[in-house]
Amino acid sequence: MADMMWAGRFSKQVDETVNAFNSSIAFDGRMYRHDIQGSIAHAEMLGDCGIITKQDSLEIIGGLKDILADIDAGKLELDPNAEDIHMFVEAELTRRLGDVGKRLHTSRSRNDQVAVDLRLYLRDEIAEIKQLVIKLADTLINMAKDHTDTIMPGYTHLQRAQPITFAHHLMAYVWMLLRDLGRLDDACERMNVCPLGSGALAGTTYHTNRKQTSDALGFIEPMPNSLDGVSDRDYCVELCCALSLLMTHLSRFSEEIILWCSWEFKFVELDDAFATGSSIMPQKKNPDVTELIRGKTGRVNGDLVTLLTMMKGLPLAYNKDMQEDKEAVFDAVDNVKLCVKTFIPMLATMRVIKENMRNAAARGFINATDCADYLVKKGMPFRDAYKITGTLVAECIEKGLTLETLPIADYKAKTELFTDDVYDAISLDTCVRERKSQGGPSPDEVIRQIALAEDRLGAFRND
Ligand code: ARG
């Protein structure tokens, strides 16, 4: 086995098991681009500040670019025995350039290196996730435009409650996604500061230029405190929190789709390409995609708890525990991307069975509030109107009727305020059309909110 970088201090080789246990290249290898990007900025700054010669700086930068090109092209494989991606790149550079390569790590530590790599890496991932969420919101808005007149029951306690439209329901998720986008932006903004130059924990005695590396890497500013720069992983926690909420939204929607696919609801039918069968029951068509999204939400929440728990007892500054940050945050990012990517075409191909939605809305007395409101509009106090309507519903249940089919005589027996126009006032179409309070389900109001959502989404698109 080759000597470790720190062999001078040690009288023995590291035990094989410790070596494998310690190594993170199997999972941090994915940050190779960002590691090299950070090293290039560092080498350039070292040259510009006269800490190494311009010539060495240029050679190092050239060597790093070659390594990047070779990894990209599959000509250079990451060495699984390397301790991590940072050690691998530096060792490869030194193998290629000899002594010049050994100058790269001047006035830098892996502690500030890993912190900068991870911020660069996650910044890119956030941009990708945002694009996916925007596409999902676009898909929902397009569906909503087709369904502003599609009446369905709205539920509370999973009991039919009041009439809404499918568009109104879909748009509720669009607003959640817009907030998710805002949270991703916030997380990105706070993450977008540069720890490079913090060194191991206490900065450096070299006259470095931290603003230069921060600017070169596209960060807002260098982090003002070197201890903080290498110690915190709040940016991973914050991102994971935003992702957990995004998954929670997808999971609730998934749960609804699972219900809607059942024969008990049959509001939607998934495309065959987005459902699966059973190995034994020939009739089955299962909504596996939505169930997996619901399941993976638990996993992403787990990633968040992993990060919070990993950090909560750590003294400043770097501790090796923090190497555990990457698998958790990468797992969250990977799974969110997978879920959103699969959810979009599944939704776009889902068949909406309008008649079943309407039939469900026509039963369950979801116009009872409107019947009470009818009396209120004729002058009765709401509580009295509520009580009378309750007795009418009980009467309907007893006679096997609905409020629409209950004879006018039965209405009038309760109060003479009821006249023939009650049937129009409680028709499903009227109930939806008249719910035009701001944010309500009336088609005009939903069309207005769709325009507003498109506007808000546009702002994220242009970021
Ligand atoms: N692989 C390490 C990590 O991911 C890099 C930083 C190591 N620093 C150290 N002093 N051991 O956290």
Side-chain angles (χ1 to χ4, degrees):
M1 196 211 284
D3 272 350
M4 297 305 264
M5 192 165 277
W6 49 77
R9 163 75 175 79
F10 289 71
S11 55
K12 275 187 180 174
Q13 297 274 19
V14 176
D15 189 271
E16 283 287 324
T17 54
V18 174
N19 231 355
F21 186 61
N22 220 18
S23 171
S24 56
I25 194 158
F27 48 87
D28 65 21
R30 63 161 83 189
M31 303 193 301
Y32 73 88
R33 276 195 199 95
H34 305 88
D35 188 73
I36 293 174
Q37 188 188 357
S39 288
I40 290 175
H42 180 66
E44 192 159 30
M45 182 277 291
L46 291 179
D48 289 350
C49 293
I51 299 169
I52 61 174
T53 64
K54 268 271 162 51
Q55 178 59 29
D56 285 351
S57 165
L58 288 174
E59 251 187 80
I60 290 172
I61 292 169
L64 288 167
K65 285 186 177 163
D66 289 345
I67 292 174
L68 177 58
D70 287 351
I71 302 177
D72 274 344
K75 285 195 221 150
L76 174 64
E77 281 193 16
L78 305 187
D79 175 6
N81 295 313
E83 190 186 322
D84 53 32
I85 187 61
H86 328 294
M87 295 288 229
F88 171 77
V89 172
E90 192 188 338
E92 179 62 21
L93 187 74
T94 304
R95 198 184 65 73
R96 294 183 181 202
L97 303 185
D99 281 352
V100 175
K102 295 187 199 159
R103 296 191 190 279
L104 169 63
H105 211 57
T106 315
S107 89
R108 182 180 76 170
S109 157
R110 272 187 301 157
N111 297 351
D112 55 348
Q113 197 179 352
V114 70
V116 84
D117 289 7
L118 194 51
R119 284 171 193 264
L120 287 171
Y121 179 86
L122 293 176
R123 209 171 62 177
D124 284 354
E125 291 285 11
I126 291 176
E128 206 181 305
I129 293 171
K130 273 182 61 191
Q131 286 312 311
L132 287 169
V133 175
I134 289 172
K135 204 166 160 204
L136 174 56
D138 276 336
T139 306
L140 293 177
I141 288 175
N142 282 336
M143 289 167 78
K145 284 179 179 166
D146 290 340
H147 290 287
T148 50
D149 290 314
T150 305
I151 293 176
M152 70 182 280
Y155 295 83
T156 61
H157 312 269
L158 202 56
Q159 302 286 319
R160 291 172 199 167
Q162 289 179 342
I164 57 170
T165 66
F166 190 48
H168 190 230
H169 198 108
L170 292 171
M171 288 307 294
Y173 283 105
V174 171
W175 292 107
M176 294 179 222
L177 294 177
L178 280 162
R179 288 194 295 278
D180 289 325
L181 285 168
R183 270 183 285 271
L184 287 169
D185 264 358
D186 287 351
C188 194
E189 165 112 12
R190 265 184 293 277
M191 181 185 296
N192 201 16
V193 288
C194 189
L196 193 59
S198 297
L201 73 161
T204 175
T205 54
Y206 295 95
H207 296 293
T208 51
N209 182 347
R210 290 193 56 206
K211 180 159 172 16
Q212 177 178 346
T213 40
S214 173
D215 287 350
L217 296 170
F219 288 110
I220 298 167
E221 59 179 6
M223 292 179 73
N225 182 306
S226 65
L227 267 184
D228 181 39
V230 291
S231 294
D232 213 344
R233 294 293 182 266
D234 55 359
Y235 56 100
C236 299
V237 173
E238 195 173 0
L239 171 59
C240 222
C241 194
L243 295 179
S244 271
L245 277 169
L246 168 59
M247 286 300 293
T248 301
H249 295 148
L250 299 189
S251 184
R252 294 186 72 180
F253 199 2
S254 291
E255 166 66 10
E256 294 193 318
I257 291 171
I258 292 163
L259 288 171
W260 293 344
C261 286
S262 70
W263 283 107
E264 283 69 15
F265 280 80
K266 258 300 164 248
F267 287 180
V268 298
E269 172 92 29
L270 294 178
D271 190 87
D272 282 359
F274 288 93
T276 52
S278 151
S279 63
I280 175 171
M281 297 167 282
Q283 85 285 8
K284 288 298 287 292
K285 182 168 174 182
N286 295 328
D288 287 26
V289 168
T290 40
E291 289 170 69
L292 259 181
I293 292 174
R294 197 176 53 183
K296 281 177 185 292
T297 303
R299 177 177 175 154
V300 174
N301 290 350
D303 294 328
L304 173 62
V305 174
T306 297
L307 290 169
L308 286 168
T309 313
M310 186 257 294
M311 291 305 292
K312 81 176 189 59
L314 296 187
L316 303 186
Y318 179 83
N319 298 269
K320 189 75 171 193
D321 317 43
M322 287 151 77
Q323 180 164 287
E324 292 289 310
D325 60 358
K326 281 170 278 303
E327 279 172 295
V329 73
F330 293 165
D331 185 77
V333 159
D334 290 349
N335 279 289
V336 164
K337 288 198 296 189
L338 262 180
C339 289
V340 183
K341 269 183 201 160
T342 319
F343 203 41
I344 292 170
M346 192 210 73
L347 283 174
T349 55
M350 185 173 82
R351 188 166 68 87
V352 179
I353 310 175
K354 294 184 188 184
E355 336 54 282
N356 290 353
M357 288 184 174
R358 189 174 177 106
N359 288 341
R363 285 187 301 270
F365 303 100
I366 66 177
N367 47 3
T369 319
D370 304 81
C371 181
D373 287 342
Y374 168 90
L375 292 176
V376 170
K377 282 170 194 158
K378 295 214 168 178
M380 188 180 277
F382 178 75
R383 274 290 157 241
D384 296 337
Y386 171 96
K387 206 179 241 167
I388 288 180
T389 309
T391 63
L392 284 168
V393 169
E395 210 172 307
C396 285
I397 292 171
E398 202 182 294
K399 294 180 174 165
L401 295 173
T402 62
L403 287 172
E404 290 92 324
T405 52
L406 186 74
I408 191 69
D410 292 324
Y411 278 102
K412 283 187 178 297
K414 305 283 179 198
T415 163
E416 280 301 325
L417 289 177
F418 279 121
T419 51
D420 274 342
D421 58 357
V422 67
Y423 295 107
D424 182 48
I426 61 163
S427 87
L428 272 184
D429 294 297
T430 312
C431 292
V432 171
R433 195 183 56 239
E434 292 306 313
R435 294 193 133 69
K436 47 188 169 209
S437 55
Q438 193 179 351
S442 92
D444 286 348
E445 183 53 25
V446 171
I447 287 166
R448 199 189 63 78
Q449 78 165 270
I450 288 175
L452 187 63
E454 283 185 313
D455 207 49
R456 300 270 171 91
L457 203 52
F460 287 109
R461 232 186 283 275
N462 302 331
D463 275 358

